[in-house]
Amino acid sequence: MERYELTVNDEGEEELKVPLRGHSVVEHNMYNHGTAFTREERRALGIEGLLPSRVRTLEDQVRQGYAHVTVTPDPLEKYVALADLESRNATLYYRVIVEHLEELLPIVYTPTVGRACQEFSHLFRRGRGLWITPEHRGRIEQVLESAPYADVRLIVMTDNERILGLGDQGAGGMGIPVGKLDLYVVGAGIHPTQTLPISFDVGTDNAELLENPSYVGYRHPRLRGEEYESLMEELVTAIQKVFPKALLQWEDFKKVNAFELLDRYDEKILSFNDDIQGTAGIAVAGVVAAGRITGTPIEKQRIVVLGAGAAGVGITRILQAELDRLAMTAEQAEQAIAVLDSRGLLVDTREFDDEYKNKFAWSAEHARSLGLNPDEPIDLLAVVRAFKPTVLIGTSGVPETFTEDIVREMAKHCERPAIFPFSNPNDNAEAHPDDLVAWTDGKALIASGSPFDPVEWKGATIPVAQGNNVYVFPGVGLGAIASGTSRVVDSMFAVAAHAIGDQLSDEAVAAGHLYPPLENLRAISREVAIAVGLHAMELGLAPQQDRAAFEKKVDSMMWYPTYPTLIPS
Ligand code: NAD
């Protein structure tokens, strides 16, 4: 494994010692600067003659790189052009994305990355990250030593079973950890050599992939049960040994494994799950912002969550952590939130197949006190009528579940209802923003999972915020590794939500915006990181530092893609 150590000289310029000479320098994507190598570097590194004469600037290269990537209208071709750029010159790749963040985010991540996962075997050129398969059992530690860089701080791992809304993508799921780590790099400045994507490729139950002669993954039905668990145990133990400073982000596991792994390893390895906790962070940030608009603090909100899967339960967990932080009793907190699954309100008179639902079920007594009958299924309309929510969040994956009568009923009791149809993609949203605006006469405060255009209503333009997890996880990850916290806990996501909300200007609040502009992502991530790190210190999970020192530490860890001066080592 390579050590890649940027240093800063007396003039404040970044320098990098290069162990390679000649052709290998231009072939290495972290050392290659293309036509931007200076004449001195060309001489010193033995690459004279390997490049045309002119020395160009990074800015020039960014212009040309961007033009090259965007020459095609097809998002997948753009994805391939970007991947190709990354494999040649990683600094230029990240700089192009940083400078065109809003436009290129949907290419390097959802929705285009989903297509790339589906086409993975066909598109595969050069591997990024590690695939761990059952063939490595007993040798996983050794396999981890094949990683390109030694100082790994952030690992994103998936077992490929629930890739976005696309189900089991086998080895192709690797597109997700790769894309997510790129967002850590561009969003929070984690250095690319400190990231490691891992695909826990334990087979696939996707019949199409198993039958596809070009499939590049481990061609077996999925490992399950004890065999899966013991292989994961070996992998986690090996990660702790080989990369002791790394934060592990669980990504796109199917619901049952997602909850089990998060709980099993919570205290064993520094880790979190973005589908559960990151989603919750951005939903809670929306609730906080809606509260700024309506003047209702979070403890006074009545919140309904439709869909008790990874995202819905995550949101409820983080909301409960927040209410707990605000010193509400467990009973008060429980009664501030109502959760529904496909069979209606969670009430303790029901028997649940998923044990975790018990924790969020209302007592029958509370349901009765609101005039609901807990001995029968209680649907969303009945809950809205009885509970009079101020916030309605959809994580059911089912379109048209926020119907006109439900939304009109909510608007009867609430001046500015906050309605978040979070299910993706657009066609799965619980309601279309156009309808929400019409049914509430332009009063709804809307945040969706996928991007929607703003809605024109009676001469006004009503914004539709996108509850993108990218506001949350890069900053949380940076805050965790910069502070040296021993655990990532639920309340950190509530703290992150407030830090995001605080980035909204008063003008933006007055205009009804729920999230700050994405173009400020790096500044937002910085604030999230600082808030999360300080919170870890408050909880006694991280060594104490004063705020100024910690801010300096965070700033020093945020890499901005520029070329360091290369010096032969
Ligand atoms: P999941 O499969 O774990 O959970 C969905 C849950 O909804 C399941 O428990 C299911 O039983 C329940 N459900 C199904 N039909 C229902 C109905 N009619 N009424 C109530 N509940 C119903 O999936 P997940 O990971 O929790 O994701 C759910 C949705 O949230 C997806 O569409 C996903 O794209 C979206 N999501 C959005 C964001 C974001 O916007 N930032 C982040 C993560 C997930």
Side-chain angles (χ1 to χ4, degrees):
M1 288 188 287
E2 247 177 81
R3 297 226 154 253
Y4 180 102
E5 277 171 52
L6 279 174
T7 51
V8 178
N9 67 19
D10 295 342
E11 276 88 58
E13 290 157 358
E14 282 182 343
E15 290 182 346
L16 180 66
K17 294 217 169 75
V18 182
L20 310 173
R21 293 295 175 278
H23 189 245
S24 332
V25 178
V26 287
E27 288 294 308
H28 192 296
N29 74 336
M30 284 311 305
Y31 298 131
N32 183 28
H33 298 177
T35 51
F37 282 111
T38 63
R39 296 211 185 284
E40 298 71 43
E41 286 171 335
R42 294 177 192 209
R43 257 195 305 278
L45 297 167
I47 55 172
E48 280 183 301
L50 294 179
L51 295 157
S53 165
R54 185 170 154 212
V55 176
R56 300 174 67 194
T57 61
L58 175 56
E59 288 69 26
D60 247 4
Q61 290 179 314
V62 170
R63 260 190 301 280
Q64 196 193 21
Y66 169 73
H68 176 71
V69 165
T70 52
V71 70
T72 164
D74 178 33
L76 191 59
E77 283 179 24
K78 287 184 190 167
Y79 179 93
V80 172
L82 277 167
D84 185 45
L85 179 58
E86 190 279 337
S87 70
R88 281 182 286 118
N89 181 340
T91 311
L92 179 56
Y93 166 76
Y94 289 113
R95 182 65 171 262
V96 167
I97 301 172
V98 164
E99 291 196 12
H100 301 276
L101 191 62
E102 282 197 64
E103 180 183 347
L104 296 181
L105 215 59
I107 305 294
V108 291
Y109 206 66
T110 156
T112 309
V113 72
R115 275 182 68 198
C117 290
Q118 290 173 304
E119 301 284 327
F120 190 79
S121 293
H122 165 66
L123 294 176
F124 183 80
R125 302 278 183 283
R126 166 184 162 270
R128 274 181 77 186
L130 293 178
W131 282 268
I132 301 297
T133 75
E135 288 160 329
H136 301 141
R137 195 184 286 276
R139 299 183 295 119
I140 293 181
E141 188 181 323
Q142 212 177 312
V143 177
L144 289 187
E145 302 275 356
S146 314
Y149 299 102
D151 186 23
V152 171
R153 302 297 182 91
L154 243 161
I155 293 173
V156 176
M157 187 212 295
T158 181
D159 75 351
N160 313 298
E161 197 173 7
R162 201 234 59 171
I163 295 299
L164 305 171
L166 305 168
D168 188 342
Q169 294 301 318
M174 182 59 115
I176 298 299
V178 165
K180 208 109 196 195
L181 284 165
D182 282 349
L183 302 188
Y184 274 104
V185 176
V186 298
I190 308 290
H191 196 276
T193 60
Q194 295 184 323
T195 69
L196 179 65
I198 296 183
S199 168
F200 186 60
D201 181 8
V202 291
T204 175
D205 289 344
N206 180 333
E208 239 173 75
L209 292 179
L210 288 172
E211 283 158 21
N212 179 353
S214 319
Y215 179 57
V216 292
Y218 178 72
R219 191 197 285 270
H220 294 274
R222 265 184 186 278
L223 217 59
R224 303 230 178 245
E226 201 283 322
E227 283 187 292
Y228 176 102
E229 283 166 26
S230 58
L231 196 69
M232 180 62 85
E233 177 68 21
E234 185 185 338
L235 174 53
V236 171
T237 308
I239 287 173
Q240 284 181 300
K241 195 147 176 218
V242 181
F243 305 116
K245 292 184 178 168
L247 161 64
L248 170 62
Q249 189 201 298
W250 307 103
E251 178 72 28
D252 280 5
F253 285 77
K254 217 172 171 180
K255 191 172 67 179
V256 175
N257 278 334
F259 285 121
E260 271 184 26
L261 291 169
L262 185 62
D263 290 342
R264 187 177 323 143
Y265 289 109
D266 175 37
E267 293 191 29
K268 187 163 176 202
I269 186 168
L270 182 65
S271 55
F272 75 96
N273 181 312
D274 184 56
D275 308 305
I276 298 173
Q277 294 160 296
T279 304
I282 198 59
V284 176
V287 177
V288 169
R292 271 182 74 188
I293 295 169
T294 59
T296 317
I298 200 159
E299 61 273 27
K300 296 260 166 65
Q301 305 274 14
R302 289 181 301 281
I303 302 165
V304 171
V305 180
L306 181 76
V313 167
I315 291 169
T316 311
R317 273 173 57 153
I318 306 291
L319 281 168
Q320 288 191 343
E322 173 65 357
L323 297 177
D324 186 39
R325 213 166 64 93
L326 293 168
M328 283 178 82
T329 63
E331 201 185 359
Q332 283 170 322
E334 183 193 324
Q335 294 176 358
I337 309 162
V339 186
L340 292 89
D341 65 9
S342 54
R343 293 191 293 129
L345 181 67
L346 305 190
V347 197
D348 62 8
T349 43
R350 283 178 51 186
E351 298 256 324
F352 302 111
D353 291 339
D354 298 310
E355 157 66 28
Y356 65 83
K357 287 183 183 169
N358 286 306
K359 231 165 107 189
F360 309 108
W362 272 9
S363 65
E365 195 188 347
H366 179 53
R368 275 195 200 96
S369 73
L370 293 178
L372 297 165
N373 178 1
D375 301 320
E376 284 177 8
I378 303 171
D379 67 13
L380 181 59
L381 179 60
V383 172
V384 168
R385 202 170 274 148
F387 185 50
K388 303 182 178 42
T390 52
V391 179
L392 176 59
I393 302 174
T395 53
S396 64
V398 185
E400 293 168 30
T401 33
F402 293 170
T403 55
E404 181 169 355
D405 48 353
I406 289 168
V407 173
R408 285 191 186 280
E409 180 66 33
M410 184 175 174
K412 265 194 220 165
H413 310 286
C414 176
E415 173 64 19
R416 307 260 353 233
I419 307 182
F420 302 171
F422 259 23
S423 289
N424 296 311
N426 297 56
D427 287 348
N428 283 349
E430 282 77 5
H432 195 287
D434 288 351
D435 291 330
L436 294 176
V437 168
W439 299 336
T440 60
D441 194 21
K443 298 281 174 46
L445 298 166
I446 309 167
S448 57
S450 303
F452 281 93
D453 289 333
V455 182
E456 299 300 326
W457 180 253
K458 297 185 177 170
T461 303
I462 313 237
V464 179
Q466 191 198 347
N468 195 328
N469 297 24
V470 78
Y471 285 109
V472 181
F473 66 82
V476 170
L478 176 61
I481 58 180
S483 66
T485 182
S486 56
R487 285 176 65 203
V488 175
V489 295
D490 282 349
S491 58
M492 291 177 182
F493 292 87
V495 164
H498 283 284
I500 295 165
D502 290 346
Q503 295 295 299
L504 267 173
S505 63
D506 290 340
E507 297 76 55
V509 170
H513 289 281
L514 294 174
Y515 302 118
L518 203 55
E519 65 195 33
N520 298 352
L521 181 59
R522 288 175 71 93
I524 297 163
S525 298
R526 178 183 184 272
E527 295 308 315
V528 170
I530 292 166
V532 165
L534 294 174
H535 183 60
M537 293 172 214
E538 242 172 68
L539 296 177
L541 296 171
Q544 295 299 321
Q545 300 179 47
D546 70 42
R547 187 184 175 103
F550 184 59
E551 283 184 4
K552 225 164 141 192
K553 174 90 189 281
V554 167
D555 289 337
S556 73
M557 286 189 72
M558 287 188 78
W559 176 70
Y560 187 74
T562 49
Y563 292 138
T565 302
L566 300 181
I567 298 167
S569 65

